[in-house]
Amino acid sequence: MSSSPNYRHSTGDMKKGEEGYAESDVVYSFEEEEVPERRQIGLFSAVFIIFNRIIGTGVFATPSTILGLSGSVGLSLFMWVIGAIIASAGMWVYIVWGTAVPKNGGEKNYLEYLFRKPRFLITSVFAANGVLLAWAAGNSLVFGEYILRAANVEPGRWTLRLVGFACITFALLLHGLALKWGLRLQNFLGIFKIFVLIFVIITGFVALGGHMKVPKPDNFSNAFEGTTANASSFCLSLYNVIWSYIGFSNANYALAEMKNPVRTVRIAGPLAIGVVTILYMLANIAYFAGATKEEIVGSGRLVAALLFRNVYGPRAERALSVFVALSALGNVLSVIFSQGRVNQELGREGILPFSKFWGSNRPFNAPLAGLGLHWIVCLIVIFALPPGDAYNFVINVISYPLSIINAAISFGIIYLAWRPYPDWPRVGIFAQIAAGFFGAANVFLFIVPLTKPPAGGEPYVSLPYWTHAVAGWAVFGLGFLYWVIWAQVLPRIGRYTLTRSEEVGTDGLKRHVFKRNKIL
């Protein structure tokens, strides 16, 4: 291979008024070697990308909360069906967007395509959402609960926090200092947690056969007894279910690296959602086959361990606790891996302050700084919130702004179907119906939490019911404030203009980069 350097250039979009591109936006990038072919992700890998991200700890940790809010076994199971329908509609929304805008980056690209004015506002708002939400904090706490349970240690206020801290710090150091080993462990745990879920399902069949250490519960004869019928509890139940399905959009973050991305995403998404739905339904049936309603509600996030104790005895419960803890660790590794790269890309595009630092791959050819930024945000959540409320808060505060974003891109499909941009493809009526349904479901999810829940339906022990809604809007508000300072005030003080240009990096991927142009 020739060692002579490459010089590549690309020009920004010349369309006046769109995304702030100007005729002077020309960028040159220096490369040492020819960039290899980037499209390496096939159909099987795409399915696994979605599958591995969806199955985290939600199906092990949220069923007790969903049952408590639903009030009955029947409605609880029905909530998982509704969640699957919403996730399927959402998958179709992301298929439409992935087909129309086949680039890496997911929602960021779709929002920027839709909302072109004021310039750079939607980019700032999305950046705040990406940086400030502690995606990995919840599963770090689940890891703490299960690993302490396995060690026969009561998860106290500080022990839980410290074990959660150790979990996320381990993930940071592994991915930041030893990337290859981090990926190997992440992939191993991704496969391992699927076997754990299958083992839970098999245990459910054992319980249905009556082979238990305790009397067999009778949860299916009058399944809808005790049903709670109020919008707030229904909404919070959906939050927990949808949290367990989050990840159906994961393939959209790597479309530029897929072989035949349009065909791949059309097949991989529905296939992954179908398999996950079957596994989730069987797992929940297993829980109800092996424990009473009161036991499940009282188990908190340890419902899977409860099932194993009732079927196999205390020793099996401890073993299962280790298995679920490892599943939680796998999810933390997966989440911090992707969120660290989100932060790195925001740095490389010049959106964050001290961009070169956050966009760096030093010192071990891994985004240690980007990973560290997400680690800091997660630690704030882990140590600042009451441990009993922290997990539910993380679920709700991530789901709330995501509902707003999903509503925007869903109704955006319908808007573009009637008033398309020149490069927007034709979207069929069934895709528009799916987008309308998904958009309406998400409007429900971000409006209802603003209403006061009935007595006994409060989402938190110590926090006000509206905490996550206010926090979600506050994140968007901080993004708006950052836009005012970064894109409006500082350019006027520094006498420069912000422009965006398309750059081909040494990784072979295209990205839009912000540049400061001095006003003479």
Side-chain angles (χ1 to χ4, degrees), residues 292-331:
T292 65
K293 286 173 56 177
E294 293 73 21
E295 286 179 316
I296 293 173
V297 172
S299 68
R301 285 169 289 279
L302 302 172
V303 61
L306 169 66
L307 170 66
F308 271 59
R309 183 184 69 198
N310 286 356
V311 175
Y312 302 124
R315 289 186 179 179
E317 176 189 13
R318 294 178 65 183
L320 189 277
S321 295
V322 174
F323 294 161
V324 176
L326 290 174
S327 176
L329 174 60
N331 190 263

Side-chain angles (χ1 to χ4, degrees), residues 35-119:
V35 177
E37 175 60 48
R38 297 297 305 181
R39 297 190 183 274
Q40 302 175 29
I41 300 175
L43 177 60
F44 179 81
S45 296
V47 171
F48 201 79
I49 284 172
I50 300 170
F51 198 70
N52 195 25
R53 180 65 186 266
I54 291 179
I55 299 179
T57 58
V59 71
F60 303 118
T62 61
S64 62
T65 301
I66 294 167
L67 177 60
L69 291 167
S70 303
S72 70
V73 171
L75 182 57
S76 181
L77 290 172
F78 190 56
M79 295 302 298
W80 287 91
V81 175
I82 295 174
I85 294 171
I86 293 174
S88 299
M91 184 75 254
W92 197 246
V93 166
Y94 279 87
I95 287 172
V96 171
W97 276 109
T99 302
V101 188
K103 299 179 180 179
N104 284 0
E107 297 94 340
K108 178 178 179 292
N109 293 326
Y110 313 150
L111 291 170
E112 288 177 341
Y113 186 93
L114 271 174
F115 302 102
R116 305 186 175 192
K117 295 179 181 180
R119 290 196 314 161

Side-chain angles (χ1 to χ4, degrees), residues 387-418:
D389 286 332
Y391 182 75
N392 285 336
F393 176 81
V394 169
I395 290 177
N396 295 335
V397 82
I398 289 172
S399 300
Y400 191 89
L402 186 60
S403 296
I404 298 171
I405 291 171
N406 282 334
I409 65 174
S410 297
F411 292 128
I413 289 175
I414 298 173
Y415 172 82
L416 291 169
W418 295 95

